Amino acid sequence: DTGVSQDPRHKITKRGQNVTFRCDPISEHNRLYWYRQTLGQGPEFLTYFQNEAQLEKSRLLSDRFSAERPKGSFSTLEIQRTEQGDSAMYLCASSPTWTVYGYTFGSGTRLTVV
Amino acid sequence: QQQVKQSPQSLIVQKGGISIINCAYENTAFDYFPWYQQFPGKGPALLIAIRPDVSEKKEGRFTISFNKSAKQFSLHIMDSQPGDSATYFCAASIIYRDDKIIFGKGTRLHILP
């Protein structure tokens, strides 16, 4: 499978717990993006990496959120002290150097905070 | 501030009809306008995209019309089929610079068989 892979597909957690999601991009893509999508809304940009460098973070990414991309390969998104408002689909996408060449999304991780 | 405004929120079209979804943007620096299609349980998938130097782009049954002066663009789906039932997102980006894609809120399209 040469697409973008996200794990887990679903996560249910209790409020206050920490969660971590993983994204494996298409191997030749050096850009990786994280988005959040709530029900009935479009994806909202959270952050992106070029190789291992995190180039931009949205204001939506509070200090409870942290993302890493060690060695410029897979990426992880961690949410600490989860809140009910964090319940959403977390989408990862990857692209070659420039977006105009294509932006491929994974199927997402659906987080439910109870 | 919503940078890309999309309408309608939902749309019902008869099979064989034309589906039209509209978008407007504010930032004149945007220079790449993709449309994405999303099925339940899946991530969005790129459908068709346009740059502002052309007024129309057609790929099969899908056409983007672009009006730079009005800062508006639209997606037309000709001969709509039940398999086209999905959520469609317009989006915009400033390529070769910050490159992140900004999405509209989406249109849920349902094609009646």
Side-chain angles (χ1 to χ4, degrees):
Chain A
D1 188 346
T2 57
V4 176
S5 177
Q6 291 189 246
D7 184 68
R9 290 295 311 277
H10 304 276
K11 178 71 176 178
I12 300 174
T13 190
K14 291 184 178 179
R15 189 175 52 184
Q17 297 294 304
N18 298 344
V19 294
T20 300
F21 311 138
R22 176 179 171 124
C23 172
D24 287 90
I26 293 172
S27 58
E28 61 267 27
H29 287 181
N30 56 15
R31 286 200 170 192
L32 186 147
Y33 307 80
W34 285 99
Y35 282 77
R36 181 173 69 188
Q37 185 176 24
T38 53
L39 203 61
Q41 300 294 315
E44 296 174 296
F45 171 80
L46 293 178
T47 188
Y48 86 96
F49 294 82
Q50 177 152 324
N51 300 314
E52 65 275 8
Q54 188 172 18
L55 297 187
E56 185 174 346
K57 292 193 293 186
S58 163
R59 291 190 304 272
L60 293 174
L61 213 66
S62 76
D63 56 8
R64 296 185 297 105
F65 288 70
S66 62
E68 294 183 341
R69 193 184 181 195
K71 303 178 183 178
S73 55
F74 71 92
S75 175
T76 58
L77 178 68
E78 181 183 17
I79 309 174
Q80 295 183 328
R81 305 181 303 282
T82 52
E83 301 173 356
Q84 286 191 320
D86 297 331
S87 296
M89 175 77 83
Y90 289 84
L91 292 163
C92 175
S94 69
S95 75
T97 303
W98 303 115
T99 308
V100 70
Y101 297 117
Y103 216 75
T104 304
F105 279 92
S107 292
T109 294
R110 179 161 297 284
L111 172 66
T112 302
V113 181
V114 297
Chain B
Q1 180 187 4
Q2 189 181 350
Q3 296 194 56
V4 181
K5 294 183 179 180
Q6 184 171 348
S7 63
Q9 195 172 6
S10 62
L11 182 61
I12 300 174
V13 175
Q14 290 280 351
K15 178 182 175 183
I18 303 173
S19 303
I20 302 174
I21 303 171
N22 300 300
C23 277
Y25 63 97
E26 292 295 324
N27 189 348
T28 55
F30 286 142
D31 57 3
Y32 175 67
F33 301 89
W35 284 88
Y36 282 79
Q37 179 188 56
Q38 186 176 30
F39 293 104
K42 300 290 187 182
L46 179 64
L47 192 61
I48 186 172
I50 197 168
R51 300 288 309 276
D53 52 343
V54 297
S55 60
E56 185 175 283
K57 183 173 181 180
K58 184 176 181 180
E59 289 184 2
R61 297 184 294 109
F62 300 92
T63 300
I64 301 178
S65 297
F66 188 83
N67 185 330
K68 188 174 181 178
S69 61
K71 294 188 289 185
Q72 294 175 348
F73 58 110
S74 61
L75 176 70
H76 291 63
I77 306 174
M78 313 300 287
D79 187 26
S80 299
Q81 299 296 311
D84 297 330
S85 296
T87 300
Y88 292 81
F89 297 97
C90 62
S93 174
I94 306 171
I95 62 172
Y96 306 127
R97 205 170 83 184
D98 64 17
D99 237 15
K100 63 180 181 288
I101 293 182
I102 307 299
F103 288 82
K105 291 192 173 185
T107 296
R108 293 187 66 177
L109 174 64
H110 182 65
I111 307 300
L112 296 173

